[in-house]
Amino acid sequence: MALDQSFVGRTYPPTPAYEVGREKIREFAEAVGDPHPAYVDVEAARALGHADVIAPPTFVFSITFRAAGEVVQDPQLGLDYSRVVHGDQKFSYVRPVRAGDRLTVTSTIEAIKSLAGNDILDIRGDVHDEAGELVVTALTKLVARAAEEA
């Protein structure tokens, strides 16, 4: 069953603040195999004009995808998450994420499309810092595969 188009534009409340730690940044950089010194060395980050270590560009995926979970678990939306695959991910940065940031994510349903029986859901996650300033916008595309014929 196709998702309800009236959900397009629906915005969900901001998540609780997530505090970005140096160790989390280091662990993430190591996990993705990115050896850039600004991710682990405060002095290297300062030499580039940052007050503290910065996070790799895809670091915010974990918090924006978690925030998108509120959307996909909305019982009124009726999305069958057991059929969902991650279709695409894009980030648009205002500034890098830094150690010490306290970030919240507000998720909005940008689009719902049906294609060949599949539902395609586009979710925008606006990531703000403690001062309310936009840091990054994440665009997540989820595809709910069509149910197989019996």
Side-chain angles (χ1 to χ4, degrees), residues 1-2 83 113-120 143-147:
M1 183 167 85
R83 306 202 61 77
K113 300 176 191 129
S114 290
L115 182 62
N118 298 312
D119 286 320
I120 302 168
V143 180
R145 297 168 292 131

Side-chain angles (χ1 to χ4, degrees), residues 10-16 66-68 70-71 74 104-108 126:
R10 181 175 286 196
T11 297
Y12 292 77
T15 62
R66 187 177 313 131
E70 186 174 349
V71 176
D74 184 339
T104 59
V105 183
T106 303
S107 296
T108 301
D126 292 319

Side-chain angles (χ1 to χ4, degrees), residues 44-96:
R46 286 184 179 147
L48 294 172
H50 305 289
D52 207 326
V53 296
I54 59 172
T58 56
F59 179 84
V60 295
F61 175 78
S62 61
I63 63 172
T64 59
F65 197 73
R66 187 177 313 131
E70 186 174 349
V71 176
V72 300
Q73 294 172 9
D74 184 339
Q76 294 178 341
L77 180 61
L79 182 68
D80 180 359
Y81 193 70
S82 71
R83 306 202 61 77
V84 170
V85 295
H86 185 240
D88 193 18
Q89 187 70 52
K90 296 179 182 172
F91 301 100
S92 177
Y93 274 85
V94 175
R95 68 160 175 85

Side-chain angles (χ1 to χ4, degrees), residues 96-131:
V97 169
R98 300 182 287 247
D101 278 340
R102 291 182 48 81
L103 305 174
T104 59
V105 183
T106 303
S107 296
T108 301
I109 297 176
E110 287 286 293
I112 296 173
K113 300 176 191 129
S114 290
L115 182 62
N118 298 312
D119 286 320
I120 302 168
L121 180 64
D122 292 331
I123 303 170
R124 185 184 79 234
D126 292 319
V127 180
H128 292 88
D129 64 17
E130 202 167 25

